[in-house]
Amino acid sequence: MLFDPHRHERLQEKPWNSGEMESAVSSILLELDASLHDGFLSLSGDRPGHDGLASLSLYGGALGTAWSLLRLSEQTGLSLSANYREMLEPTYEHQLSRLADQDVHLGYLHGKLGQLAVLCCFDETSSRIDEFLQVSRAVIERPENELMWAAPGALLAASLLYQRTGRKELVPIIDLAIRRVFNEWKVSDESPTAIWTQVLYGKSYQLLGAAHGFAGNILSLLSAFRFLSEPQRGELIKRASETLHGSVSRDNGRVNWIQSLTFKQPNKFLLQWCHGAPGLLTCFRAFPTNEVDSLLLEAGHTVWAAGPLTKTHGFCHGNAGNGYAFLSLFERTGDEEWLDRAKAFAVHSLWQSNRAFERSGQRQLGLYDGDSGLCWFLMSCLRAEAKMPSLDFL
């Protein structure tokens, strides 16, 4: 079977109500703000449930949370009690001061590069851009070949930062990252079509998902599409389509992608943003030709048939991430059935979040694994937009 039914649960049948969702976004933002403003810099693992903030990451760390709340307040017009823009620099410096050099990761979603990308968005003096460029060069040379820690993440970060600021000094780094990502995209013994090999924790994998593999790398190249030469664009379209079709698994009218081509046990099929069909759907949202559309539609029907995940309401391995798969299909097709399905997952995600809040008495703070990410998903459903923070914009 292409997904484990025990990882999924029945969809909550409560109908979508836009007014309730707008109120939920405001309420959750205010609750997150209240839990942070009285001592944001001290939230470094010394409070129950807040230990993730200690990490130097956009994924779930303090600066990623601050950036998310800042951008959400800009988008909603909601006034928060803390000035998160002023918190960005001291939060970054505070976290660096707590970590030994060997413990500082350099990557985009996990590491220094993502933090610097955020700081550069608000840095009118350009004091951080040289540091961003220096760290980018180091990240491009890393062996992981995936979005979180290596060249694809550097490419995505630089492309999104260029989109936000238009800084011309980013173009050479974008070109360097493009060359690295293309050079590492090769045919292997495990795949008749081109694939990347990830070196993670001393082992080699050929992962297909968004967080660590093929799909996330395609997203990074699509983010830099304007910088690709015509031959590179043609190669991207050809290789990506061939690998998407060549690596798909089918069973009883459903489709999914195995976690890795290098281990093929049935229990390695997941159906979440980080690994499986939902992440491939979001990463191929802006694919420039329609040759992948029928397969993406099949994938969307599989995500819907499986139902919501039992795990959580967040981006990475939760229902907000799976819901963005439906929003991606709505954007590609214009079919409002996919928007309605995204809204159904939004209702379910909010129910999960509120249930967790009732149990613990606090909101979950991370962007990818917490309630600020849920706010983005609810707002995306309200606006019928598919772009995800840190993946499609900064």
Side-chain angles (χ1 to χ4, degrees), residues 24-179:
V25 170
S26 297
S27 296
I28 293 171
L29 279 178
L30 291 173
E31 287 159 358
L32 290 171
D33 179 51
S35 71
L36 294 175
H37 80 275
D38 60 344
F40 189 77
L41 292 178
S42 70
L43 295 182
S44 55
D46 55 346
R47 295 191 191 181
H50 290 175
D51 49 305
L53 289 177
S55 67
L56 194 70
S57 77
L58 286 183
Y59 183 100
L63 192 141
T65 301
W67 171 77
S68 180
L69 294 183
L70 169 61
R71 295 288 275 129
L72 282 165
S73 67
E74 291 173 348
Q75 293 286 313
T76 61
L78 189 68
S79 295
L80 301 179
S81 62
N83 187 332
Y84 290 103
R85 181 167 179 171
E86 289 186 357
M87 284 182 172
L88 297 178
E89 280 281 352
T91 298
Y92 175 69
E93 294 294 345
H94 175 77
Q95 288 184 298
L96 281 181
S97 71
R98 296 181 57 258
L99 297 170
D101 288 344
Q102 65 269 21
D103 295 326
V104 176
H105 295 294
L106 297 180
Y108 176 50
L109 292 182
H110 277 301
K112 202 172 181 180
L113 188 64
Q115 316 285 285
L116 291 168
V118 165
L119 296 180
C120 287
C121 289
F122 302 97
D123 181 12
E124 297 175 358
T125 66
S126 300
S127 61
R128 289 293 185 184
I129 190 66
D130 288 341
E131 191 176 358
F132 175 87
L133 297 173
Q134 179 183 6
V135 173
S136 293
R137 292 186 189 97
V139 169
I140 287 169
E141 297 303 317
R142 291 186 62 85
E144 289 90 350
N145 284 324
E146 49 86 84
L147 194 65
M148 292 263 186
W149 290 300
L155 178 56
L156 181 62
S159 299
L160 296 182
L161 189 54
Y162 181 89
Q163 176 183 306
R164 175 75 187 263
T165 67
R167 294 179 186 270
K168 290 184 170 52
E169 58 264 57
L170 292 165
V171 175
I173 281 293
I174 292 172
D175 290 339
L176 183 64
I178 288 171
R179 289 197 298 273

Side-chain angles (χ1 to χ4, degrees), residues 202-363:
K203 295 183 179 180
S204 294
Y205 305 91
Q206 290 176 334
L207 298 161
L208 293 171
H212 298 291
F214 163 73
N217 293 5
I218 295 300
L219 173 66
S220 74
L221 287 170
L222 291 174
S223 75
F225 199 75
R226 73 179 80 180
F227 298 101
L228 301 183
S229 67
E230 283 303 319
Q232 286 174 328
R233 291 179 180 185
E235 196 67 16
L236 166 60
I237 292 167
K238 177 177 179 293
R239 288 187 187 184
S241 177
E242 287 177 351
T243 302
L244 187 73
H245 285 90
S247 59
V248 70
S249 297
R250 296 179 177 275
D251 182 46
N252 292 324
R254 305 300 180 198
V255 303
N256 198 6
W257 285 263
I258 202 164
Q259 187 175 351
S260 172
L261 296 176
T262 51
F263 46 88
K264 299 184 178 181
Q265 298 93 333
N267 65 354
K268 294 302 179 182
F269 280 105
L270 298 173
L271 202 61
Q272 50 201 42
W273 178 83
C274 51
H275 297 286
L280 281 100
L281 282 163
T282 63
C283 291
F284 274 78
R285 175 185 59 81
F287 198 71
T289 67
N290 61 10
E291 61 204 74
V292 299
D293 283 1
S294 61
L295 185 53
L296 296 181
L297 285 169
E298 289 183 271
H301 288 302
T302 300
V303 178
W304 178 251
L309 292 159
T310 60
K311 265 186 178 180
T312 180
H313 51 276
F315 277 1
C316 184
H317 38 271
N319 289 308
N322 285 20
Y324 269 109
F326 301 138
L327 290 176
S328 297
L329 284 172
F330 171 65
E331 183 175 296
R332 282 193 74 86
T333 66
D335 185 347
E336 293 208 359
E337 180 180 33
W338 295 112
L339 178 59
D340 290 340
R341 289 178 172 184
K343 289 177 177 179
F345 266 51
V347 170
H348 191 94
S349 299
L350 180 60
W351 170 76
Q352 285 180 311
S353 172
N354 288 337
R355 186 175 59 173
F357 181 52
E358 289 170 3
R359 287 197 300 261
S360 68
Q362 62 185 19
R363 292 291 178 183

